[in-house]
Amino acid sequence: MKSVCKVAVEFIRSRRAHGSASARPLGGDMCKELKTKVLRLLPPTPNGPCVHQESRTDDAEILSHTVKALKEGHVVGVPTDTIYGLACLAQNSEAVRKTYDIKGRNGHNPLAICVGEIQDIYKYCKVKVKEELLADLLPGPVTLVLERSEVLNKDLNPFTSIVGVRIPDHVFMRRLCQMCAEPLALTSANLSSHTSPLAAHEFQELWPKLSVVVDGGPIGDQSRLGSTVVNLSVHGKYSIIRPGCALSSTVDVLEHKYGLSEEPWEDGPLKSPHSASHAEKHTKR
């Protein structure tokens, strides 16, 4: 088999040279050899979203293709506000298993969930902080670790009673969650322990295992640090699990605006507030 596929390689090159081209699927919608749809989002204009009707239609089609793939139990590659990610329906146990297989990820490394609105967090988590605090941090490059509710798929991170939650500051990802009407399981689009990708071509080796790859262009933040991961599952306390790309601003909100006190996070097994031994710490998204 050719490397990923000739059409995909030509597409990546053309994207670099013609960043202003309208959103469209690759070569006849499909990379035939891989059966992987590689779809490009139209980049926003300096003055806001593009106003052309054709572009809006294309974006809607990309969302439709991606939602369909997710509903059919597939794993997709998507852009976020920090790095590129792999996503599947969090409530679909088989899709969650596929995500671990694609990454070669240890089964005791947890996956975060991604939702479209703050109100959705209350369905899948038990929240112990003010809603205003959530609104100050989300949408944004932050993963909030909260106690999970009974509604969340028991096969997702079955070893822990807490879960990381994201609302990326990314229009496509928020709309995708809203259209799916259920949480996505989200992790970085790379093999475990490899560098987190900032562009779609950087995880080309995974494309053959994905149903859809959404190319949203290069991620603006070049740090590759991923989101700041903070535990808020203990009332009145916070713990930084991973500094990530928004540490300073996150700590400022937690301490100076809401008066939370820091509780050091024990490096090693991820522990819930009700158990002494759970999985390894949150490492992605």
Side-chain angles (χ1 to χ4, degrees):
M1 182 187 291
K2 300 175 185 176
S3 175
V4 179
C5 98
K6 191 174 182 180
V7 141
V9 172
E10 289 174 354
F11 165 74
I12 294 297
R13 289 173 179 162
S14 71
R15 175 167 180 76
R16 292 171 178 167
H18 305 290
S20 62
S22 62
R24 62 184 179 275
L26 281 183
D29 286 345
M30 184 76 74
C31 177
K32 300 293 185 184
E33 291 178 293
L34 306 179
K35 301 189 187 311
T36 300
K37 291 183 180 180
V38 185
L39 310 171
R40 182 175 64 184
L41 293 172
L42 183 75
T45 66
N47 296 321
C50 181
V51 296
H52 300 299
Q53 179 64 40
E54 179 183 355
S55 300
R56 290 204 300 269
T57 301
D58 285 340
D59 284 354
E61 289 176 355
I62 292 172
L63 277 165
S64 177
H65 280 304
T66 310
V67 170
K68 182 175 184 292
L70 289 166
K71 292 290 188 181
E72 290 174 351
H74 298 298
V75 181
V76 301
V78 290
T80 75
D81 53 348
T82 56
I83 54 181
Y84 272 80
L86 301 180
C88 71
L89 293 185
Q91 301 296 81
N92 184 322
S93 299
E94 178 61 20
V96 169
R97 185 195 63 77
K98 287 180 189 176
T99 303
Y100 276 95
D101 289 346
I102 290 169
K103 281 184 66 73
R105 187 177 177 88
N106 185 314
H108 288 294
N109 278 347
L111 301 180
I113 63 171
C114 176
V115 297
E117 301 291 343
I118 286 175
Q119 296 92 314
D120 299 330
I121 297 176
Y122 290 86
K123 181 175 182 180
Y124 301 101
C125 300
K126 299 175 182 179
V127 181
K128 297 179 180 178
V129 296
K130 295 180 178 180
E131 184 172 349
E132 291 83 358
L133 187 155
L134 300 182
D136 279 338
L137 296 178
L138 301 172
V142 181
T143 299
L144 302 183
V145 177
L146 305 166
E147 188 175 353
R148 60 191 288 159
S149 76
E150 294 75 13
V151 176
L152 191 61
N153 180 9
K154 291 179 174 57
D155 291 330
L156 179 78
N157 311 334
F159 40 76
T160 180
S161 62
I162 53 181
V163 66
V165 186
R166 285 221 63 200
I167 303 180
D169 189 11
H170 193 283
V171 173
F172 175 83
M173 281 302 296
R174 293 190 65 189
R175 186 63 183 140
L176 182 63
C177 291
Q178 291 162 358
M179 289 179 67
C180 287
E182 57 182 295
L184 303 182
L186 191 63
T187 183
S188 55
N190 59 336
L191 294 172
S192 276
S193 79
H194 288 212
T195 302
S196 297
L198 297 177
H201 68 87
E202 293 183 1
F203 61 99
Q204 253 182 10
E205 72 275 15
L206 300 184
W207 288 10
K209 300 177 181 179
L210 306 176
S211 175
V212 170
V213 173
V214 178
D215 183 356
I219 303 294
D221 177 14
Q222 297 296 308
S223 70
R224 299 184 190 268
L225 295 175
S227 62
T228 294
V229 183
V230 56
N231 178 31
L232 293 177
S233 64
V234 179
H235 184 72
K237 306 283 187 180
Y238 79 91
S239 300
I240 299 299
I241 300 175
R242 184 180 68 192
C245 63
L247 177 62
S248 178
S249 59
T250 300
V251 169
D252 185 62
V253 167
L254 297 176
E255 291 189 356
H256 299 143
K257 186 168 183 178
Y258 293 99
L260 273 62
S261 58
E262 183 174 12
E263 185 172 72
W265 183 260
E266 182 180 344
D267 190 21
L270 178 63
K271 295 179 174 142
S272 81
H274 308 299
S275 176
S277 90
H278 281 293
E280 297 168 24
K281 73 180 188 179
H282 287 267
T283 56
K284 296 298 175 189
R285 309 308 320 153

